[in-house]
Each structure stands twice: as C-alpha cells, then as structure tokens.
Amino acid sequence: MHIQIQCCGIVLMLVLFYFYARQKRIALETQRAFLGVFWASFFCIAFDIFSILVIQYRHVLSEPFAKFIAKTYLVTLLGVAVSALAYIYVDMYEKRDDYWHDMRRYLVLGAVGVAGTYAVPLYYNYAPDGIEVLYTYGPSVYVTYGVSLVFFVRIFYLIRKEKARINPRRREAVCIWLVAWIVASQIQFMYTDILIVGYAGSIGIMVLYLKLENPETNLDRSTGLFNSGALYQYTKQLFAKEKDFSALVLIFENNTYQNVHMEKREAIKMEVIEYLLKLQNCLVFKNAEDETYILFTDPACAQAKVEEIRGRFASGWGEDGASRIRPHWMYVPHANVIDRAESLTYLVRYIRQEEKAFSENTFYCVEKESVDRMYRKREVEQLIIDAVDNDRVEVFYQPIFSTSEQHITSAEALVRIRDREGKIVPPGVFIDTAEESGMILKLGEIVFEKVCRFIRKHPLERFGMHYIEVNLSVVQCAYENLAQDYIGIMERYSVDPEYINLEITESASTNAKKTLLGNMENLMEYGVRFSLDDFGTGQSNLNYIVEMPVDIVKFDRSMTNSYFENGKAKYVMEAAIHMIHGMNLEIVSEGIETKEQFQTMEDLGISHIQGYYFSKPLPEDEFVAFLESKKAEFL
Ligand code: C2E
Ligand code: MG
Ligand code: MG
C-alpha cells in the first residue's frame, strides 16, 4: 500500500488548520472560500487513503462498496475543482448576485460530473501478481478528469484574462497550487506506484495559506488589532452586500496623552489596546496613521456601544484610574452614505484636514453634508488627475493693453481644464483643490511648458508683444526646486527669460516667503521678471510690495470695481497709484469691462489695462487670430 505520502499530506493539513483556527479572524468571504478549498482538498486526500484501504480489503467489505468509495474519492476531486473556481469567483465578484450568476452554471456542471462518476463503470488495474490493485481506470475516471479539466481551464483562463479583478497574489498562489496538482498527476500517471497527487494538493494549500490566507496578515503587529488591509477588505465586503454599518474612529495623536506622565504612557497605551481587544459586538482596526476604527455592523445598537466606550475613556486609565487621555472622536452613524470602502479612510482624512469643527469638538458626528463635500472635492481631484494624465490642461491668454504704447503688449496665461465631455472648467473650480493636494506643482509646470512652447512657436515681437504673465501659486512659490525646474523648461524650449513675467501672490508663512525670495533671486538672476497679483484683496499688500522685488503690481478686479462704486475707495486707489508709481513700478488694472472704466484708468495714469473691454481669456488659436487682427495698430 502506498498511503504513506498521503498520510503526510493529511498531517500537514491538520497542522495548518491548527494554526489557522488559533488565529483571530474576521469573516471575510475570501477566507470562507479558502476554507471551502481547504476542506475539499482535505477530504480528497482522506478519501484517497480510505479508498486504497477499502480496495485492499474489498473481499472482506464487498466489491460494490469498494467501488462506491473509489468513486467517492473521484467525486472529492471534483469538489476540489469546484471549490477552486468558487475561490477565484469570490475574489472577482463583489456582488453576491454576480457571483451566483456565473457559479450556478459550474455547479450544475459539477453535479453532472458527480452523477456521471457514480453512474458509469470503474475498473481496477492489478499488479503483475494479480492481487494488488495499482490504480483505477475506466469511464468513471474519465468523466471526473474531463469535468475537472473544464474547471481548471476556466480557472487558468480567468487568471490570465481577469487580471484587474483578481488579487495578483491570489492569482499567483492559485497558479502554484494548480500547477503542483497537474505536475503531480502527470508523474502519477507515468509512474503509477507513486501516489503523490494528494500530497501535492496539501503543499498547494500550504502555499495558499502562507501567501495570502494566513489570518495573521490581517493583524497589526504592534497591537494585535486588525490592520488597514483587513479594514479595507471587510468594509469592501459590507458595501458589496449593501449592508449599513457604523464606524467610530478614535484618533490618537501625541496630544492625546499630554496629560499623562511620560513614564506612564506606554503602560496606558497597553491598557487601552487591551481594552480595545476585548470589545464585544464590534471589530476594531488600526491603521498605519494614528487611527483606530471600531465598526458596528448593527447601527441600531451602535449608539449605546459608542456611549459605553466614551464612558470608559472618561473614567480614566492607570492603576489609580487618574490618567485621562483625550483622543479625537469621529462617528459615522450610517456608513452607507459613503459609496465604497476606500472612501471611509478618505472621509476621515478629509474631515481631519478640512472640517474646522472637527478639531474644536471632541466628539464629531459625521453628517451627510460633510460626505457630500468630500465627494465634491474628490471629484475635482479626479478631474485634475484625469486632465493631467490625458493632456486636457489648456492655457488661455488674456491680452493686456499698454496705455503708453496704445496696443497689446502682453498677456496673462490662465489655466483651463477640459473635462471628459470636452467642457471647459475654469480655475476657480480646481485651483484650491490642486493646491491642497499638491497637484498644482504639476499643473503649474504644464502651464509653464505650454506657455514656453507658445512663445517658441509665435515669437512675441511679431505682434509687438513683450512678455507673457504666468501665475504662480503660493504652493509653487514655497517649492524649493521651482527656480531650477522653470529655468530647465525655458532652456528646453530655448525661450529667452525676458519674455516671461511670473505673477506671485502674498505668501502666508514666513518660511514660504523665504523660499519664495530664494526662488525669485535665482529666476531674476536668470532674467525673469515678477508681478504682484491680487493687489487690493489682502490687508498688508503695501508692505509686501516694499519687500518683494517685483516690477509690476496688478490691481485686482475687486479693487478697480470698488473705485467706481465707492467714493472712499477712490482715495485709497489714488493713494496706492501714487505710492506704487513713487516706487517706480508699473500697474496693471484688471477687470476693465467698459470704455468709461478704461478711460478713467488711463486718465489715472495706469500703464496697463486688462479686462473684457479688450478681450476675455482666449484659447491659443483664437488669441493668435486676435493678435493678427490687431497687428496694424502697432505696425
Ligand atoms: P488672476 O490671476 O487674478 O486672473 C485674473 C482673472 O480675472 C481671470 O480669471 C480672468 O479671466 C478674470 N478677468 C479678467 N478680466 C476680467 C473682466 O473684465 N471681468 C471679469 N468678470 N473677469 C475678468 P480666471 O481665468 O478664472 O482665473 C482666476 C484665478 O485663477 C486667477 O486670478 C489666478 O489666481 C488663478 N489662476 C488662473 N490660471 C492660473 C495658473 O495657471 N496657475 C495658478 N497658480 N493660478 C491660476
Ligand atoms: Mg494673475
Ligand atoms: Mg489678478
């Protein structure tokens, strides 16, 4: 009898199961499917051994019984094939209905295979002495192998074709497992006395276990709580099942422990973890940030549980219960207001960063409005990423008229994004978000490159123009490599720096100001000039002009508008013009829409006028056509 190898396989699987069962686990569908594969493989090996024994003693136990058991062994092989496919489908389909839609067909095939295996004959092949059975063959075996083959082909097809929908580690592990089976069955086919298929199956299961089904991979090493990967998988499953749940998020920052003596902190942290680990009727996850998520799958009972947890934190920690710690609390009463798993951590991050009320309150209950705001912001982020990736960032140009030269001598480059439908999105929609996410660095660079390309293609002198103004965001100004990058771009396009004028605005922090000054110094040395944009919108603009080495000051539209609407504002503007001229700087007046406004500004001695009176910002082609039409004015 050759059952030693199979017995080794059984022992290996029992050891694996021992480790598996001891671990703390969450009820993930994929883990359930893995258990399906595990038990199918286990019974397969067990029946392999059993059938060998029964066949050996078939004279005592009866021939039909021996054949029945041998066929049952074949049926367990089909079980392995079915469970393997189910394991792949669970990963592929989030929705139960989709899963069953595909799986149903294969279950029917499996059932046909089982019926066929039992219905048709099975034969033994004897050893030369005619006593010992070497292996089984006949229609029953062929039915099993034929049906199993369909399953394996389907699995390999899915692994190859559905790459995006199956976890790559799972694809790899299933591949190793199936290849082990196939190689072993080939060896067994050629050398009939080496019965290694069962053992190869158990090795395959070990690979699956070690590569992705070890529940330990779902645990945070330092605390033993579930980790962020588990949080993602579990919430993904809840969303797929369209189940509502509540989430209490505890945020532990350094200031959480500020009232606790340094020496006691570690002990208190351990006590808190111990408490969280013992919480009942909920699952507790910790991510790499400082956030702990407590999920309640029954939102009706969640409120009471949340109060209980808050009460525990209020009652103090440490041996004497005197240490009070204050984590930030965020509560999402109905997480189904979110659309999918990724959005939960995104929402928490968004609220931490953006919602002012969060830091003021110690207990922040997330309302639907916050979720909507988060989605709008994410939509805009996506819009920017999409536009950057698909070359849908465009530059419009708005002409600037020189009162001394009496024609268009410069223009401001203004960014636009084209959405998927081809509609133009103005910067007011996305600049703030681009600044917050850091995407403005990329966006600014794209705009600058396009401007340089434009200057290269259309030499400005041809139209009597001197330079193009390009906006710089405060985030760009505070970026250490800005000067280096922009000089690199000008060099790449062989653009003379005298054609470039960069518009800066007031920086909030002194640190950012220092970096900006460094950047300005390098760029000015190279030959670039600067303007101060948005004058008249801040409070300390006058000081800023003194400190910043700019050549031009741009009056914001709100300032020029109030000149015409408000008697007192007139004096402020006139005084500002006087001072700025005194500093030998030029002025651009923005937002000039009518002839009267233009006339007034000209009479005030303002050197440059920008506004709809001349033109709205125009796409590149239209701007060139506009300049062509005005060519006569300066020739
Ligand atoms: P800004 O730099 O002060 O640009 C002037 C804005 O006033 C432009 O709006 C322009 O279309 C608008 N404008 C000019 N004349 C008139 C007028 O007569 N009437 C009215 N109603 N509006 C006028 P836009 O293009 O929507 O840009 C808004 C802001 O977005 C800009 O203000 C600037 O701060 C920012 N921005 C635009 N392009 C860029 C860019 O490439 N990078 C960065 N960082 N910011 C940009
Ligand atoms: Mg500007
Ligand atoms: Mg401006």
Side-chain angles (χ1 to χ4, degrees):
M1 273 190 291
H2 302 279
I3 59 169
Q4 295 90 334
I5 305 177
Q6 278 92 332
C7 287
C8 289
I10 285 273
V11 171
L12 183 67
M13 291 192 71
L14 287 175
V15 171
L16 274 187
F17 188 71
Y18 170 75
F19 283 111
Y20 182 84
R22 277 183 61 206
Q23 301 274 7
K24 191 171 130 124
R25 276 165 289 141
I26 31 175
L28 291 174
E29 294 286 340
T30 45
Q31 295 222 334
R32 271 193 211 137
F34 169 70
L35 277 185
V37 175
F38 180 91
W39 287 119
S41 305
F42 182 85
F43 282 116
C44 183
I45 306 174
F47 268 91
D48 193 5
I49 298 170
F50 189 42
S51 67
I52 292 169
L53 290 174
V54 171
I55 291 170
Q56 191 70 22
Y57 296 102
R58 65 193 179 284
H59 305 302
V60 187
L61 294 165
S62 93
E63 187 85 16
F65 179 68
K67 289 216 167 158
F68 174 76
I69 294 298
K71 285 180 178 181
T72 306
Y73 160 65
L74 293 175
V75 166
T76 59
L77 276 174
L78 285 172
V80 174
V82 174
S83 65
L85 185 65
Y87 182 60
I88 289 288
Y89 273 147
V90 161
D91 201 22
M92 257 177 68
Y93 294 120
E94 285 185 10
K95 299 240 181 291
R96 269 234 156 291
D97 287 352
D98 299 341
Y99 167 81
W100 280 115
H101 177 265
D102 264 22
M103 198 57 210
R104 201 170 293 138
R105 279 183 282 172
Y106 286 93
L107 279 179
V108 171
L109 177 66
V112 169
V114 171
T117 305
Y118 280 123
V120 295
L122 176 81
Y123 308 116
Y124 304 126
N125 194 330
Y126 293 94
D129 57 14
I131 298 166
E132 197 180 347
V133 172
L134 277 183
Y135 58 90
T136 53
Y137 69 100
S140 185
V141 175
Y142 306 140
V143 168
T144 308
Y145 283 7
V147 174
S148 304
L149 189 69
V150 175
F151 277 87
F152 290 147
V153 168
R154 177 75 183 152
I155 292 169
F156 278 120
Y157 172 82
L158 293 174
I159 286 174
R160 279 194 64 79
K161 290 282 170 199
E162 299 286 346
K163 283 191 178 132
R165 293 165 73 188
I166 307 171
N167 172 342
R169 286 163 63 87
R170 182 158 286 117
R171 285 203 333 253
E172 195 190 344
V174 170
C175 258
I176 296 175
W177 173 46
L178 290 184
V179 167
W181 265 87
I182 291 165
V183 170
S185 60
Q186 285 306 306
I187 295 174
Q188 190 166 315
F189 186 73
M190 288 187 288
Y191 307 98
T192 45
D193 55 341
I194 309 177
L195 301 179
I196 54 167
V197 173
Y199 188 66
S202 63
I203 295 279
I205 292 290
M206 192 173 75
V207 172
L208 281 189
Y209 177 86
L210 293 178
K211 266 192 106 65
L212 35 87
E213 299 301 347
N214 182 353
E216 218 174 286
T217 53
N218 286 329
L219 297 182
D220 174 63
R221 279 189 180 274
S222 62
T223 58
L225 296 167
F226 292 117
N227 60 18
S228 51
L231 174 68
Y232 172 69
Q233 290 181 66
Y234 188 66
T235 46
K236 188 170 156 208
Q237 196 170 294
L238 290 174
F239 282 115
K241 288 183 179 168
E242 291 173 12
K243 263 181 118 169
D244 189 15
F245 66 99
S246 307
L248 176 67
V249 188
L250 286 168
I251 297 157
F252 295 92
E253 289 172 349
N254 276 341
N255 65 6
T256 302
Y257 299 94
Q258 70 185 4
N259 296 324
V260 181
H261 195 276
M262 273 301 212
E263 285 165 11
K264 283 190 178 171
R265 284 189 187 181
E266 279 314 305
I268 302 281
K269 279 183 189 171
M270 291 312 294
E271 200 180 334
V272 172
I273 292 167
E274 205 63 37
Y275 170 72
L276 293 171
L277 280 168
K278 284 193 188 133
L279 277 176
Q280 297 289 315
N281 303 324
C282 56
L283 290 170
V284 188
F285 303 82
K286 184 188 168 300
N287 67 10
E289 325 273 313
D290 35 27
E291 296 157 354
T292 298
Y293 290 70
I294 306 176
L295 298 196
F296 307 95
T297 42
D298 183 359
C301 308
Q303 191 68 44
K305 195 81 190 162
V306 168
E307 289 313 316
E308 183 193 316
I309 297 169
R310 288 181 68 190
R312 174 66 194 89
F313 274 80
S315 67
W317 304 87
E319 275 171 23
D320 47 4
S323 301
R324 309 236 176 271
I325 57 171
R326 294 194 171 75
H328 292 289
W329 302 81
M330 200 187 296
Y331 182 49
V332 194
H334 293 283
N336 62 350
V337 290
I338 307 168
D339 65 346
R340 56 200 152 106
E342 297 91 327
S343 308
L344 182 62
T345 38
Y346 189 93
L347 174 73
V348 172
R349 201 176 346 128
Y350 169 80
I351 289 175
R352 287 182 71 177
Q353 283 171 2
E354 312 269 325
E355 302 273 312
K356 301 228 163 37
F358 172 67
S359 48
E360 284 163 21
N361 271 340
T362 42
F363 187 83
Y364 183 90
C365 190
V366 179
E367 309 276 341
K368 174 119 183 12
E369 291 74 54
S370 307
V371 179
D372 292 344
R373 276 197 293 278
M374 181 268 296
Y375 277 124
R376 274 199 296 278
K377 180 172 171 183
R378 207 158 73 167
E379 245 171 57
V380 174
E381 268 178 15
Q382 205 47 52
L383 181 86
I384 305 170
I385 293 171
D386 246 28
V388 167
D389 289 350
N390 299 300
D391 194 19
R392 290 204 304 265
V393 177
E394 293 185 17
V395 179
F396 278 31
Y397 295 86
Q398 187 176 32
I400 299 174
F401 182 83
S402 158
T403 49
S404 58
E405 296 186 41
Q406 285 295 307
H407 66 89
I408 305 297
T409 53
S410 56
E412 176 170 5
L414 294 155
V415 67
R416 300 288 183 267
I417 274 180
R418 213 173 270 280
D419 67 13
R420 276 184 199 179
E421 281 82 46
K423 279 214 308 279
I424 288 287
V425 185
V429 174
F430 59 83
I431 289 287
D432 285 352
T433 308
E435 286 181 340
E436 281 155 19
S437 66
M439 289 290 289
I440 192 74
L441 290 179
K442 184 77 201 147
L443 212 54
E445 210 176 284
I446 294 176
V447 169
F448 192 64
E449 263 200 72
K450 295 209 171 200
V451 170
C452 288
R453 201 177 301 156
F454 175 82
I455 298 173
R456 183 103 193 101
K457 197 166 152 200
H458 305 282
L460 298 183
E461 303 88 4
R462 258 179 52 201
F463 308 106
M465 295 238 296
H466 306 319
Y467 55 88
I468 305 266
E469 292 179 6
V470 187
N471 288 284
L472 280 184
S473 143
V474 280
V475 177
Q476 288 178 283
C477 295
Y479 173 55
E480 300 275 352
N481 290 339
L482 177 87
Q484 191 187 324
D485 290 358
Y486 271 39
I487 291 171
I489 295 172
M490 283 181 278
E491 277 174 355
R492 196 158 359 115
Y493 287 91
S494 308
V495 164
D496 194 322
E498 72 174 273
Y499 297 130
I500 302 291
N501 184 296
L502 296 176
E503 294 187 7
I504 57 160
T505 48
E506 205 160 326
S507 296
S509 73
T510 39
N511 225 357
K513 205 157 107 182
K514 247 167 88 186
T515 317
L516 167 61
L517 278 169
N519 277 324
M520 285 176 86
E521 204 174 298
N522 289 338
L523 283 160
M524 278 164 41
E525 210 167 275
Y526 188 69
V528 173
R529 296 192 315 145
F530 284 86
S531 301
L532 180 70
D533 202 2
D534 295 350
F535 184 83
T537 54
Q539 284 103 27
S540 58
N541 272 190
L542 273 175
N543 269 344
Y544 216 71
I545 304 177
V546 177
E547 290 168 13
M548 289 293 150
V550 293
D551 291 306
I552 301 172
V553 176
K554 298 194 74 171
F555 283 2
D556 192 70
R557 189 162 70 92
S558 58
M559 183 162 170
T560 38
N561 280 356
S562 58
Y563 181 86
F564 297 104
E565 287 159 11
N566 182 328
K568 281 188 199 162
K570 261 189 174 130
Y571 297 107
V572 177
M573 182 134 138
E574 280 166 13
I577 294 170
H578 183 72
M579 277 190 282
I580 294 165
H581 281 162
M583 286 185 256
N584 232 353
L585 304 176
E586 291 175 6
I587 297 174
V588 177
S589 215
E590 285 182 358
I592 301 303
E593 296 186 351
T594 64
K595 190 169 171 46
E596 293 71 41
Q597 289 178 343
F598 167 70
Q599 204 57 61
T600 315
M601 290 298 137
E602 199 174 25
D603 295 346
L604 280 168
I606 288 186
S607 55
H608 293 85
I609 315 275
Q610 176 180 355
Y612 292 179
Y613 176 59
F614 292 103
S615 168
K616 287 193 172 184
L618 299 169
E620 192 176 308
D621 298 348
E622 288 178 34
F623 178 59
V624 173
F626 174 87
L627 292 177
E628 293 282 2
S629 73
K630 300 274 171 190
K631 224 170 173 177
E633 287 175 21
F634 73 91
L635 283 176

